[in-house]
Amino acid sequence: MKRIIIFCTILVMVSSVSCKKYLDIVPDNVATLENAFAMRNTAEQFLFTCYSYMPLHGNDERNPALAAGDEFWRPLPAPTDPQEIAKGNQRIVDPYMNFWEGLNGGTRLFGGIRDCNIFLENIGVVPDMEQAEKDVWIAEIKALKAYYHFYLFRLYGPVPLIRQNLPISAGVEEVQIKRSPSDECINYIVELLDEAAPDLPPRIINEVAELGRFTRSIALALKAEVLMTAASPLFNGNVDYTGIVNKDGEALFNTTYDKLKWNRAADALKMAIDFCEAAGYKLYEYKNQYPQYAISPVTIIQMSIRNSVCEPWNSEVIWGDINSRADAIQNRAAPRGLDPASVGVGGLNGNIAIPLKIVEMFYSNNGVPVDEDKNWDYANRFRVKTGDTEHKYVIREGYQTAELNFKREQRFYADLGFDGGIWYGQGKFDDKGTDLLFVSSKKGNPASEIVPNYYSASGYWPKKLFHFQNIVTGSLVKRPYPWPVIKLSNLYLFYAEALNEIGGPQPEVFSYVDLIRKRAGLLPVKEAWTTYSRNPNKFNTQEGLREIIHRERLIEFAMEGQRFWDLRRWKQATTEMNKSITGWDINKSTASLYYRETFIYNQKFSARDYLWPINENELLKNGNLIQNPGW
Amino acid sequence: MYKNSTTKARSGPGSPWQKFLLTMKLICVLLMLTFLQVSASSYAQKITLKANKMPLLTFFLQVQKQTGYDFLYNTNDLEATLPVTLDVTAMPVREALELCFSGQPLDFDIDKTSILVKRKKLRARINGLVVDTTGIGLPGVSVSVKNNNAVGTSTDMNGRYVLEVEENAVLVFSMVGFITQELSVKNKTVLDVVMKVSTNNLEDIVVVGFGRQKRSDLVGSVVSITPKDLKVPSSNLTTALAGRVAGMIAYQRSGEPGQDNADFFIRGVTTFGYKVDPLILIDNVEVTKTDLARLQVDDIASFSIMKDATSTAIYGARGANGVILITTKEGTEGKAQLSFRIENSLSSPTRTVELADPITYMKLHNESMLTRNPLGGAFYTREKIDRTIEGDDPLNFPVTDWKKSLVKEYTMNQRANLSVSGGGKLARYFVSGAFSKDNGILNVDQRNNFNSNIDLKTYTLRSNVNMNLTNTTEFLVRLNGSFDDYSGPIDGGSKVYRDIMRTNPVLFAPSYEPGAHQSYIKHILFGNSGNGDYLNPYANLMMGYKDYSRSMMLAQIELRQKLSFITEGLTFRTMANTTRNSFFDVNRKYNPFFYEAMGVNLTTGQPNLVLLNETGGTEYLDYSEGQKTISSVFYMESALNYARVFGEKHSLSGLLVHILSQRLNANVGDLQQSLPYRNTGISGRLTYAYDNRYHAEFNFGYNGSERFAEEKRFGFFPSVGLAWSVSNEKFFAPLKPVVSNLRLRGTYGIVGNDAIGSAADRFFYLSNVNMSDASRGAGFGTERGYTRNGISIDRYSNPDITWETAAKKNLGLEIGLFDKVQIMADFFSEERKNILMTRSYISATMGLNAPVRANVGEATGQGIDASIDYSGNLGRGVWFQARGNFTYATSKVKVFEEPLYKEKYLSTIGYSLSQQWGYIADRLFVDDEEVLNSPKQNFGEYMGGDIKYRDVNNDGQITGLDRVPLGFPTNPEIVYGFGFSAGKGNFDISAFLQGLSRESFWIDAAATSPFGSYRYSGETANKIVQTQLLKAYADNHWSEENRNLYALWPRLSSTRVENNEVRSTYFMQNGAFLRLKQVEFGYSLSKNLNKRLHTNKVRIYFNATNLFTWSSFKLWDVEMAGNGLDYPIQRVFNLGLQASF
């Protein structure tokens, strides 16, 4: 018995000693977060991580400003997330484009903000870096943090401000944070940008490796855009939001109109414009890249418009999103069978349709709205008309198309592809040649619905988004371009808008609008309206001029993801986005039947849609969070 | 064949085995010589004597006179002695005594100057045949000598045994499932035994954790199954489990060879962790479900299922979900015995999903478009429909029965196994091999030169060798390999069924024959439409094939040492095992060329087949690498066992075991997962029984797992149990004839589980940082030339996370009636604590990349499992057995971190772990008017004819807050089975029924939504899919003409309608069923025939599985529940032959 006890004791001792060691299998140098800030190289990785939360601006299936508005329409068996919103199906159960939680097509912005904070907390300890470089990086991260907050603010209104990270171990009470009032949100975002701007370079010097990162130009432009949003009717004295309060009674919206907000915006714009111009940004103008062909001034203007978007890093783009380039969106932007010899070209889906109301929005060739133009037969715009010599650069001669497509401004022809419309580029660079591509989309023609889902439901395509050097013969070869998030032209029209809000019609307002019009080959506002408009004095009142500036913006930035935000900002979405989506009767093969306006969809937009709903689950988790009005 | 090879092995010079034996013999001889020397030197006295028929007593006196030695004897012993006749001169005493004692029933011993005379212990060679009540030899019956652990054997394949025992020994014959018998040898040399099937099981030897116990001593809840009950005509053992064992919840969801493992849980599921299935041990080594599936029933010696804390606590870390413990057969002494079994079976789906005919499909497809959007066009023209009905141009107006083109009516499968067992004094062996070939039910295109049907060949090989190194040392070597060779469709069989469900029947044909002008084409002209990007399941199936190979190799050595030299009843054993698993697959395929029929070619007059993907197709096979999984497992256990009976009444046993295990996986893709998985610990057991009436047991496991922080690594899991055999009490004697057995058992204990979270999620105390996360990367520069991967956190560290524990209670009742009926019932309850779960209050604004988790969850489970057995003779030689079992296991969430719901019904607390929440579907909307006047439903667009949900919380809209608990849990709460077997003479018949109930499942509205496009999770969206129309939906759906508000399917739609797809009562189904699981007829050859054939036993049998099912659900086999569109469960008819020589 004794021997057993000894034996057992030894067994137990040996095994329990070895047990402890046996289970100790984790090597000491398993990666932890400290490794991320142990050297410059990994800190740079973390910097890039913070950038990686950037919303995908150049992807129409991920950018609500592109497909969740009323500019793009796509025939799809299963609508994409932004399109569900466009159709009025936004909901509080598992919302679409959920940027709050990073679901259903939304980017997880609060995750980005957390990583930004982690970066700011830890960058100080990186040993092998100069303070100067750290300062630049810190400034970039602050700007990013500001942008993520701003993006949330635009979608959801007042949001909780994540100035500092809560620890993982934070208790139930601590994590129940509440939304901050809208003015506080704006001030915090501006504060971050103000802190960031001085340390950022005016523009990128090391372009091959750094283009796309934050610059002082971007920070200043962004700040101006933030303040424009804050000054606009949706957030400036919007009485619809009276009584929207936090659980503790704190009002989330300032419902008193404050004109000074426009001044603040105008100041920021002035500063941004001056700074950017000094840094070398200017309105883009196309230089003929194929000197062997003498192309007409009309084509030059069109190419200035098209390439102000498509030409990578052109002189007008202050902020290009290199991490979300216009790539797949180009597959959808040009019609299948654009080159009739390659009807089956793989990859060219051509299924983004531009509704007729957008088509009609473009000015006449006189630079005024078509329904205001004395010389433009608005009533008969759907009549069939054959392409003539006068329009030979824009409409195929002898081709039957609608009156609507005639006598329009060059931005119309630059932006839109349509049945009978000439499509300059794609290997055909002589605009006097007879082999120029043109769209033929009546039933049975190459661009019509031959393959299910791969067609334009309205008969119009966003030519503006399709790089003119892409190859469509044989197979689609694309030139993806960084998505232009902020352009100098944008600041010009913002500035004009702000000045008009402050003091009504004044020379500076006109000068900035006319800069844009000039590039588009249009007469200045005063001249155009005085000469051609049935409402020649429109620009003399603040309201009239506001309408002109608004329309100029909508036309200039059509399909670029600005209209979505502008309509909200101006509180005009309830009007605009309750109009029907219409197009041509695309399943007809003869012109007379084809050119009939056909109903496609009835969009619905109610007051609650201005601010998106927060998933009801989030409200259950956080008792201090309140839902947006109407949801 | 066999004989030759063994003779060779025996005589083969220089084989290592031979050398070993020779060495051992030499050592023994040398030792003996040494001892002899010693003894010879101590006796110098010599005697001279002449005796003729001298009485023994006189002889003693003579010797005493001459040598001075004293004789000590019992006078009674001298009674039957023979007189001595002897003539010796100066012979040493010992030699003389030996001469004199030879032939006497006496023995002597010389101790100094005394000669001790005692009655000789006679050793006799005894042999015999052990048969069952039908007269068939029973292999594997354990034959042992009462009160002497040193001697014992077991019967060979034919039921024969040979044993050398003392004359007065009592032999004990025992086998699981039979009544243990004790028979005295007396002076017999042949002892034949008829084993009776046990109904009271009390004398059974039950295999328990790290040992064996008599059923009558058992305190814990352990069930053992007779292996032959698990014999089903399938090469998957897991499919046999449902309804066979009280306490096991089991069901099968797919019938695809290789993918048809049943799901099974012991006493239900009470954790929300990933590891919910029981620990499976074969010969004490942990194996996977697939390894269990491949196990040959004919190789199983015992199959035990341990359910409560007392029986599983000894497994500590690993036993929380119950334990299945299987031992394989060992060789028995005797000449080689051969046994084989061959089976051929025919299998076909029990029930397949019925689809609407193509014409209805087209009409309703048009209806689906027009009913939602009257302005939108129809999909099929009048002409298309009319010409298709006429059927005069099948090329341009195709009608394809995809199921027929892809799937056969039935398939044939073969299985065979063979085992050889035998051995001698030194070594015994059991070697078995098995082969099975399972064919899928898919068609093969003869134009291909490869087989794209499923062809799964599995091979297993097992070799168990026992060697007696010394009298007290036994050495075992077990080698086991199981190998699968698979060839089949690239995406597997279920994908074929899923694809059939998702292909338009009137768009194109599976393939076309090339016209005369295209005769140069070598490839198959697969059909397609549009861009060639429609799903053509025929092309998908025929375009290539996948080979996979899976192997499991297991090598095990074990040493058993009796330590009776230290103290009686002490044994030591140690076992080491290594298992290697490997899996790889290879895909070979060509890219199909797709053609579309487009009218007639005007120049050739031939049908115009237009190639749709000129650059996409290939005529040659290409190759793509598949996954490779390799793992290596090491396991070692050392145990010290002690068992002894003191003073007849006190029996005491103890066990101390040390275990060590390690698993290493290859190709895991991350550092933390690449580290070895380890467990170690000490477990122990102490049992005490008094007078076979009172039993007490204490078990513990002290286990460590590498997954937790250092302070939290070890867990202590104790358990205690008591049992009272009431029927062994004196006062019970009068009742005994009626109630032959009455026993009460009770146990309580705690078991642990370290498999929490997910398998990939290991070191909870460490954060897991991905230092190079491409999905969090970014790039900058003119052409985005400067890119860096990001850094992301996959897990936040929490050093407090530790073991999940389960406190289990078990109360058992055993009743035996008339020695014929045996009832066993166990009432159990379980309390799981420390279940790892995600903290619910962390909202998105925290911005965390990974969930924050803690051991906060709690759940309980309780239920009953019971079984009843009857065995008896019905007279006239008819024997009859019936058995039934029933399991009712429920679970309840007790602590679950969730938001503070205003709506109490949203809380999961108090509901089963697999309870589902969903909406109450009142009916369908009458019209759009009603839609406008009803609470808004937040799941996408809907209109009249779509499902109307109830606004439970009356807030004016239907949101997640209106979800209520629906129906039963998705895991059945009741599983039961019952059956009988009977026989007369050479014939036997058996039938077994199995059922389950209290289970709900949902028809997958998304996957069955006609004309919609549905992709299973993980599928890439490279082909256009269009869901088929179920016949049931075609016959019964809401339409404008027939506004049936309770139609099976709501208003048709050409796209999916999310509103109708959310989980609701609308598509909820009752999963209960009862099925005739198995019927078997057998015929065994008579003894005479066997003699003539030189066989020992031959049995021919026919059986069938899944013959009938009773259920209220008719669309597909109800057991598949929500997976009804997958590879169906099979009905099998099987013919088999079993023979042994």
Side-chain angles (χ1 to χ4, degrees), chain A residues 132-173:
Chain A
E133 191 179 28
K134 282 186 185 176
D135 289 342
V136 177
W137 288 11
I138 289 168
E140 282 180 69
I141 295 299
K142 281 183 175 167
L144 269 175
K145 196 174 152 186
Y147 186 66
Y148 295 157
H149 274 110
F150 176 54
Y151 206 91
L152 287 165
F153 180 82
R154 282 202 286 190
L155 292 173
Y156 298 98
V159 288
L161 297 175
I162 315 295
R163 295 168 193 266
Q164 231 111 52
N165 280 348
L166 286 170
I168 303 293
S169 56
V172 185
E173 300 293 312

Side-chain angles (χ1 to χ4, degrees), chain B residues 698-720:
Chain B
F698 169 76
N699 285 280
F700 75 91
Y702 178 68
N703 285 74
S705 164
E706 89 294 348
R707 307 180 75 168
F708 307 119
E710 207 168 332
E711 317 76 66
K712 305 275 181 184
R713 244 167 230 173
F714 280 83
F716 182 70
F717 307 106
S719 74
V720 290

Side-chain angles (χ1 to χ4, degrees), chain B residues 525-556:
Chain B
L525 288 69
F526 291 108
N528 214 311
S529 187
N531 268 3
D533 44 15
Y534 279 85
L535 175 77
N536 178 342
Y538 190 77
N540 262 11
L541 176 62
M542 301 305 174
M543 70 182 176
Y545 62 105
K546 172 203 285 280
D547 277 344
Y548 82 62
S549 163
R550 190 190 69 85
S551 34
M552 191 274 289
M553 299 274 282
L554 184 149
Q556 196 180 106

Side-chain angles (χ1 to χ4, degrees), chain A residues 214-459:
Chain A
F214 269 104
T215 60
R216 202 184 309 167
S217 306
I218 298 174
L220 293 175
L222 187 56
K223 176 185 165 186
E225 187 170 359
V226 172
L227 289 170
M228 278 301 284
T229 306
S232 300
L234 184 64
F235 294 109
N236 190 358
N238 187 348
V239 288
D240 295 353
Y241 295 143
T242 314
I244 308 299
V245 292
N246 264 330
K247 289 264 161 85
D248 57 6
E250 180 185 29
L252 283 182
F253 294 88
N254 182 349
T255 50
T256 322
Y257 177 74
D258 180 3
K259 203 174 171 186
L260 286 177
K261 286 182 178 170
W262 287 112
N263 290 72
R264 200 177 167 199
D267 294 347
L269 279 158
K270 179 76 179 128
M271 187 176 167
I273 289 170
D274 290 348
F275 186 86
C276 291
E277 284 177 343
Y281 295 100
K282 59 173 197 283
L283 286 190
Y284 172 80
E285 274 176 29
Y286 179 72
K287 303 265 175 331
N288 187 3
Q289 293 183 18
Y290 299 91
Q292 64 267 48
Y293 310 122
I295 57 173
S296 68
V298 179
T299 308
I300 295 275
I301 293 173
Q302 277 184 39
M303 286 313 302
S304 295
I305 305 295
R306 286 175 72 178
N307 271 9
S308 74
V309 174
C310 292
E311 185 59 31
W313 312 114
N314 68 68
S315 64
E316 191 174 329
V317 174
I318 296 171
W319 182 10
D321 187 353
I322 184 69
N323 282 303
S324 178
R325 286 187 277 192
D327 194 340
I329 194 174
Q330 294 197 63
N331 297 36
R332 301 187 265 272
R336 273 172 69 86
L338 180 55
D339 179 357
S342 305
V343 180
V345 47
L348 203 50
N349 301 339
N351 49 6
I352 293 178
I354 308 299
L356 277 187
K357 66 171 183 179
I358 305 290
V359 173
E360 288 191 15
M361 174 186 76
F362 286 89
Y363 290 148
S364 71
N365 53 351
N366 297 318
V368 294
V370 284
D371 51 353
E372 270 182 47
D373 192 332
K374 289 187 280 194
N375 300 344
W376 211 89
D377 186 1
Y378 183 75
N380 288 320
R381 62 194 187 282
F382 297 155
R383 249 191 348 216
V384 176
K385 187 176 174 182
T386 308
D388 50 22
T389 320
E390 187 196 338
H391 285 89
K392 66 173 180 177
Y393 292 118
V394 289
I395 291 171
R396 173 86 175 170
E397 260 189 284
Y399 195 95
Q400 283 199 316
T401 181
E403 286 247 20
L404 185 65
N405 299 335
F406 287 84
K407 289 167 66 178
R408 304 300 295 267
E409 60 165 321
Q410 288 311 316
R411 285 184 295 200
F412 177 92
Y413 300 111
D415 285 11
L416 300 172
F418 55 89
D419 182 45
I422 297 284
W423 191 296
Y424 177 79
Q426 316 338 125
K428 318 285 189 204
F429 299 112
D430 180 5
D431 67 347
K432 295 185 178 63
T434 51
D435 61 342
L436 276 186
L437 298 177
F438 65 97
V439 181
S440 52
S441 61
K442 295 188 194 82
K443 186 70 183 169
N445 288 337
S448 68
E449 182 186 354
I450 292 173
V451 177
N453 306 329
Y454 292 169
Y455 64 96
S456 160
S458 69

